[in-house]
Amino acid sequence: MAAVAVPRWRVPLADVVVTEADIAAVADVYRSGWLSQGPRAKEFEEAFAQYTGAEHAVAVTNCTAALHLISMAAGLGAGDEIVVPSLTFVATANAIAYTGATPVFADVAGLTEPWLDPASVRARITPRTKAIVSMAYGGHPGETAALAALADEHGLLLLEDAAHALGTRLGGRHLGTFGWAGAYSFFSNKNLSVGEGGMVVCSDPDVAARLRLLRSHGMTTLSWDRHRGHAAGYDVVAMGHNFRIDEARCALGLSRLARLDDENGRRALLDRRYRELLSGVPGVEAALAPVADATLAHHLFTVVLPAGADRDAVRQALADQGIQTSLHYPPAHRFQVYAEAAADLPVTDAYSARAVTLPMYAHMTEEQVEIVVAALAGALA
Ligand SMILES: *Cc1c(COP(=O)(O)O)cnc(C)c1O
């Protein structure tokens, strides 16, 4: 059977290397004859909890399901207001809306600081507010610590969308573990990719039990337990979903987790190289500046173009040289489905109109960074 043809960019936006060890780990699962959630999932959860320092980790089929599960376990519902960023992947807001709760969009901190601004969040807190969702844009901790303090002050839950932030530590503590619960993504373009996958972490054992229950139809026993003869029947005690992940993806996640810190370290080096080279390109500002006392996942590298630059033309000039770029993100408050959530978000609008995401992946070379920056400088000249 021929390999699937993957488009060939000279410098793709993101790329993933699957090693022979990864493939062997996946093949082992298929040889074992047990494919759906079972012992590999448990092993992956334990390794993930150990890596992040979380008390509990619950593996799920993707990060959207992880966020949805958190929203359900938190008991969000109609009449509740949840303050969320608009400058995020739409799933952050959708996961709230699935429960009947209302996402209330807040603005980001600055043109090179595309994370939730605590002052904007504070201004949107009402007696109906139940939670704040933070999103670690590009793997940057942003104002997560301040948002945790703000949530505490108002008796709100802090929920973390840490889809970009696997491996980010602030003061030694992993992003995703500052709040009531955190969600991670293992989608193809994320730092730890298995194709589709996600994880929830939390510290409270009762919350973990609730997450596990709702992950699998609200059923009191698992197929794996019944298969092993550890359980005979089951009851259904809550309206759950099927958000389970299969064994092959957990085996791949386990295999890849072992080298994540090395890969993130490579991203850090490339991030530094980008910043050095961009300091010589007038008008272009790199976002997401590194911070003291933090290790960053460097999921994205984004730049803000000069006001008035023709962004489409710049992106086309790069594409003509085989360089893939992207936009993170078209803001959620501008989508038709959120038309009713009218929001005045000037910084989000400015950032989403002027920012471009440049290629970033662990095995990108410094020469490729030079190619990208030279092309960008040429396009703006
Ligand atoms: C990728 C992503 C998600 C959704 O993750 P999936 O695993 O694709 O469901 C949610 N939030 C953010 C910020 C993301 O980047």
Side-chain angles (χ1 to χ4, degrees):
M1 196 181 72
V4 175
V6 174
R8 289 285 163 214
W9 291 88
R10 184 152 69 127
V11 191
L13 184 70
D15 199 28
V16 51
V17 169
V18 179
T19 65
E20 289 305 318
D22 293 341
I23 292 168
V26 171
D28 270 354
V29 168
Y30 288 111
R31 285 193 195 98
S32 79
W34 186 264
L35 306 188
S36 50
Q37 188 189 297
R40 290 313 193 291
K42 187 160 184 293
E43 224 185 303
F44 186 33
E45 290 176 343
E46 284 169 1
F48 196 92
Q50 183 158 31
Y51 175 76
T52 55
E55 295 294 324
H56 306 279
V58 179
V60 290
T61 189
N62 56 58
C63 180
T64 306
L67 291 164
H68 187 179
L69 200 55
I70 289 172
S71 300
M72 290 173 71
L76 307 186
D80 296 332
E81 294 178 356
I82 317 301
V83 184
V84 300
S86 171
L87 192 67
T88 180
F89 183 58
V90 69
T92 314
N94 287 353
I96 299 301
Y98 296 153
T99 67
T102 305
V104 175
F105 296 110
D107 213 350
V108 293
L111 210 46
T112 57
E113 293 142 6
W115 49 75
L116 267 187
D117 174 10
S120 176
V121 172
R122 184 186 289 276
R124 282 160 173 82
I125 294 174
T126 74
R128 295 182 156 217
T129 308
K130 197 150 176 194
I132 300 167
V133 183
S134 65
M135 196 283 268
Y137 187 112
H140 200 288
E143 300 276 1
T144 305
L147 293 171
L150 183 62
D152 261 1
E153 181 193 326
H154 290 267
L156 308 174
L157 301 178
L158 178 70
L159 312 178
E160 288 186 75
D161 181 343
H164 295 185
L166 183 55
T168 296
R169 287 96 155 157
L170 177 63
R173 185 166 167 190
H174 278 258
L175 264 282
T177 68
F178 283 74
W180 187 79
Y184 302 85
S185 174
F186 310 131
F187 182 63
S188 298
N189 59 12
K190 300 300 190 329
N191 290 34
L192 189 150
S193 147
V194 305
E196 298 275 4
M199 190 76 76
V200 181
V201 296
C202 65
S203 56
D204 182 330
D206 295 335
V207 173
R210 185 80 186 155
L211 293 165
R212 291 181 194 286
L213 185 74
L214 294 171
R215 168 177 65 177
S216 196
H217 309 284
M219 286 164 65
T220 51
T221 68
L222 297 171
S223 315
W224 173 244
D225 295 324
R226 293 193 298 279
H227 182 71
R228 291 185 299 167
H230 289 188
Y234 60 84
D235 192 7
V236 175
V237 296
M239 190 54 69
H241 289 266
N242 178 357
F243 285 159
R244 295 182 307 254
I245 187 168
D246 63 277
E247 292 284 274
R249 291 186 285 155
C250 290
L252 182 55
L254 258 175
S255 180
R256 299 208 53 194
L257 186 60
R259 61 177 190 275
L260 178 69
D261 278 343
D262 285 343
E263 294 189 347
N264 284 353
R266 274 283 305 154
R267 288 171 178 267
L269 185 149
L270 298 164
D271 184 281
R272 278 199 297 280
R273 189 72 187 126
Y274 260 128
R275 286 175 202 280
E276 281 165 18
L277 293 168
L278 283 166
S279 63
V281 184
V284 175
E285 287 194 83
L288 304 168
V291 280
D293 200 25
T295 305
L296 305 185
H298 297 286
H299 173 56
L300 299 176
F301 190 85
T302 66
V303 293
V304 179
L305 301 185
D310 182 344
R311 183 173 62 174
D312 290 344
V314 169
R315 294 188 66 207
Q316 188 56 54
L318 267 63
D320 290 345
Q321 296 193 45
I323 300 164
Q324 188 183 20
T325 62
S326 188
L327 303 179
H328 292 91
Y329 289 90
H333 76 287
R334 298 281 173 194
F335 289 136
Q336 231 182 81
V337 286
Y338 289 116
E340 280 178 31
D344 184 25
L345 306 173
V347 189
T348 294
D349 283 334
Y351 181 86
S352 60
R354 287 172 55 188
V356 177
T357 306
L358 301 179
M360 171 59 86
Y361 47 93
H363 58 285
M364 187 177 179
T365 65
E366 291 189 59
E367 291 69 34
Q368 284 176 310
V369 174
E370 288 158 19
I371 289 168
V372 172
V373 174
L376 181 64
L380 287 165

